[in-house]
Amino acid sequence: MKPDVGVVMQGFFGTLLGDVAPHLSAEYSMGHVGIMGLMLHMTGELHDRAADIRLAENSEMRSLFSHAAALVEDEALKQRLTSAAETLDASLRISVLEANNAELAALLIELQTHVEGSQASWAAGLEARIWDYLVATMERRELPFPSFG
Amino acid sequence: MEDLAPRVAAYLAHRMPAASNIEVSGVSRIHGGASRETFRLRASWEEGGTRVERALILRRDPVASLIETERDLEYNAYRAFHPTGLPVPEPLYLETDLKWLDRPFFVMEQIEGCAAGSAFNDDPYGAHAGKIGRQFWTHLGHISAADPQAIGFSANMEPVAPDECWARELEKWEKVIDEDELVPQPVARAAIRWLKRNPPPPTEKISVVHGDYRTGNFLFDGEGNIRAILDWEMCHLGDPLEDVAWAADPLWAFKQPERPGGMIAREEAFRLWEEASGMKIDPVRLRWWEIFNSLKGLAIWISAGKEYQTGANRDPVLAFSSWYCTDVHDRVLAKRLAALSKEARA
């Protein structure tokens, strides 16, 4: 698709802020246009990396669950971790990746809660690995924000 | 767009029986403040043989909002603090009868010739950053030091014990996340668990808590004087360090972590607050409220996202805050909680 989605969104961002907003008389409408332009700017970049981010997250959570399943003693949780670790992303559509991501994230919350309450020898290491994943994923999801200073 | 001018004029005529020939003009909605519809307007009327003109602000409940709040809380805060000398607009009328403007609203003085700094600007105050910052933290100290009962703030406020402030606020915002999350929130859930496992010591004093005291929620003039502290819709009684931590939250002027809100250095800010409030900042309590406030932020942004997603409110600011502010607070909390987890396990 040409021009590239990112290029079009950046272009719209510039047009809205440079050409449209200055000609609006209502402060309220100008505010809306500014925010919509900013979100087009973000969308332009997110569009390119959205699938990659979700695919990577889903893969890392499955790997984490596979590792955790070998450690936790709770049989029911162990079984659910094993099952989740074996799931696949059947499509690269964002809606599919997001639905899978939400299911995996719900299990991650359950696992993290379980690990926090454990004094087993493996607990500290697993807790640290979960946090490493969460910090990395929040960094990976960082939205672009133009400087207005 | 609806024409509010004749309806506001009719309302003012009802509230000011001695006035005649009331005219309302220049009704213009102000952007932002998604918890209320805010309009500026000019009203003029004849009274006692002279023509009077006044610039006013009308704050009306929206159909759905960023935060569910009661407008009388905000109005009563203005009424309590206006006589104390704290810079707040003079509150004029609170109206809950729907016949006037379809939804409850209140009217207050408009502070003219001022601006509000954007919370998302790298440097919202420029050359006035120091002067504004010193006033900002001193005013917060005065809010914290105020006697809520003596100034009439406590009337109709839910009381809270010094050792229960944290639990009440945490319960309130956890419920918002429970009700409004559209996807599971691992970082928010981890924060909730940490906050419950590590309750803060009791507050030394039950204070007025503004609830949203930050860059963007006050007006300043061209000389760098703070003229009005606004947006009291989340005010309540509680631990004064809740406001200190919210004002210093890294989301505001995010690219200046050493100068909260893009104003003055954190150390100077806290010293000024201590001087004005007469209280000392307990670092353990402060840390708890810092983590709580990033969680409270997440709850607000999650709720905003639900409002937009469901179509209850299509104000773009809701979508923006749900994207951008969630992104920042998730990152801030993840880093902080990861470090605390490693400390606790060490």
Side-chain angles (χ1 to χ4, degrees):
Chain A
M1 196 156 66
K2 297 293 178 185
D4 296 327
V5 172
V7 171
V8 172
M9 295 299 112
Q10 301 306 327
F12 285 3
F13 173 52
T15 303
L16 279 176
L17 263 61
D19 296 342
V20 177
H23 300 290
L24 294 172
S25 56
E27 175 189 340
Y28 189 64
S29 304
M30 285 177 67
H32 277 350
V33 166
I35 286 179
M36 289 191 292
L38 194 53
M39 293 187 78
L40 288 176
H41 170 84
M42 292 173 172
T43 303
E45 207 217 317
L46 289 175
H47 168 267
D48 190 45
R49 58 188 174 107
D52 189 53
I53 287 172
R54 283 149 186 81
L55 201 63
E57 284 182 7
N58 293 354
S59 168
E60 286 169 23
M61 279 194 277
R62 290 183 183 112
S63 166
L64 211 159
F65 294 161
S66 176
H67 173 70
L71 300 173
V72 301
E73 291 100 10
D74 182 303
E75 279 304 321
L77 181 57
K78 184 191 287 280
Q79 184 55 48
R80 295 180 58 218
L81 290 167
T82 303
S83 299
E86 291 167 355
T87 57
L88 294 168
D89 293 313
S91 160
L92 294 183
R93 290 178 72 100
I94 296 295
S95 55
V96 172
L97 293 172
E98 288 233 304
N100 294 344
N101 191 273
E103 282 187 20
L104 294 167
L107 184 57
L108 182 69
I109 292 171
E110 199 179 324
L111 172 63
Q112 194 176 18
T113 306
H114 179 81
V115 173
E116 284 169 359
S118 173
Q119 292 304 318
S121 56
W122 47 263
L126 185 53
E127 189 173 326
R129 182 166 169 187
I130 293 170
W131 275 117
D132 288 345
Y133 162 76
L134 286 171
V135 170
T137 207
M138 295 310 158
E139 292 287 345
R140 192 159 41 207
R141 284 192 176 220
E142 181 172 357
L143 289 169
F145 192 83
S147 177
F148 295 110
Chain B
M1 187 179 162
E2 66 179 317
D3 186 5
L4 285 176
R7 302 178 76 188
V8 175
Y11 177 72
L12 293 176
H14 159 72
R15 295 304 300 247
M16 302 190 297
S20 60
N21 295 326
I22 296 176
E23 291 178 10
V24 170
S25 61
V27 179
S28 169
R29 188 167 172 188
I30 298 172
H31 193 259
S35 60
R36 292 272 183 285
E37 292 177 358
T38 307
F39 301 86
R40 63 165 64 91
L41 57 96
R42 299 195 81 81
S44 64
W45 62 89
E46 285 173 16
E47 190 170 357
T50 57
R51 189 88 193 153
V52 181
E53 182 170 323
R54 192 152 194 204
L56 301 174
I57 291 288
L58 186 149
R59 296 260 281 164
R60 180 170 68 164
D61 283 16
V63 178
S65 78
L66 191 64
I67 37 180
E68 302 289 338
T69 59
E70 296 291 333
R71 91 287 319 163
D72 57 339
L73 282 182
E74 184 174 21
Y75 184 84
N76 287 338
Y78 289 128
R79 196 167 58 181
F81 276 102
H82 188 258
T84 70
L86 190 80
V88 294
E90 180 187 5
L92 298 171
Y93 309 117
L94 172 68
E95 187 55 64
T96 55
D97 190 334
L98 306 186
K99 75 179 181 182
W100 298 105
L101 296 178
D102 306 324
R103 279 166 264 148
F105 63 93
F106 67 86
V107 179
M108 63 182 179
E109 167 193 21
Q110 182 186 147
I111 308 296
E112 296 185 278
C114 290
S118 167
F120 306 112
N121 190 324
D122 298 354
D123 188 15
Y125 305 110
H128 290 312
K131 183 176 178 183
I132 289 175
R134 288 187 286 278
Q135 294 167 75
F136 174 82
W137 286 98
T138 301
H139 287 320
L140 181 57
H142 292 150
I143 293 170
S144 303
D147 179 339
Q149 191 145 8
I151 64 170
F153 180 87
S154 301
N156 304 320
M157 274 285 171
E158 194 183 336
V160 63
D163 61 346
E164 291 173 351
C165 302
W166 71 271
R168 187 177 75 174
E169 292 307 306
L170 181 56
E171 184 183 357
K172 183 196 308 180
W173 293 103
E174 182 182 6
K175 186 165 177 279
V176 170
I177 295 173
D178 288 345
E179 291 174 351
D180 290 351
E181 70 176 4
L182 296 171
V183 290
Q185 301 285 339
V187 175
R189 294 297 171 186
I192 291 167
R193 293 193 302 274
W194 186 92
L195 290 163
K196 287 180 178 176
R197 282 199 308 270
N198 298 278
T203 178
E204 64 193 273
K205 172 183 182 293
I206 294 294
S207 291
V208 172
V209 176
H210 178 287
D212 198 10
Y213 192 88
R214 62 169 172 84
T215 277
N217 279 346
F218 61 85
L219 299 175
F220 62 98
D221 64 22
E223 281 74 50
N225 300 304
I226 292 183
R227 298 276 307 282
I229 295 164
L230 306 171
D231 296 304
W232 292 71
E233 59 263 48
M234 291 195 284
C235 66
H236 54 273
L237 294 169
D239 187 331
L241 293 191
E242 181 183 346
D243 267 344
V244 172
W246 184 248
D249 190 274
L251 177 62
W252 324 123
F254 183 65
K255 292 178 181 171
Q256 294 207 53
E258 299 309 312
R259 292 198 294 142
M263 289 178 267
I264 55 176
R266 193 176 159 92
E267 295 70 24
E268 184 186 4
F270 289 177
R271 180 181 58 74
L272 288 168
W273 180 85
E274 288 182 337
E275 282 174 14
S277 69
M279 291 180 266
K280 284 281 176 200
I281 291 178
D282 171 354
V284 175
R285 263 168 61 219
L286 181 68
R287 182 182 69 177
W288 193 94
W289 287 107
E290 284 173 340
I291 292 169
F292 165 81
N293 274 315
S294 289
L295 176 77
K296 170 180 161 180
L298 275 181
I300 294 170
W301 323 132
I302 286 167
S303 187
K306 186 186 180 190
E307 292 293 311
Y308 196 90
Q309 177 95 5
T310 59
N313 185 336
R314 283 285 159 85
D315 188 328
V317 79
L318 298 179
F320 172 77
S321 52
S322 187
W323 277 15
Y324 179 71
C325 302
T326 301
D327 171 60
V328 173
H329 269 146
D330 259 340
R331 253 180 301 134
V332 166
L333 266 180
K335 281 183 189 165
R336 187 122 197 219
L337 291 169
L340 287 168
S341 157
K342 280 168 188 164
E343 257 179 53
R345 289 284 191 183

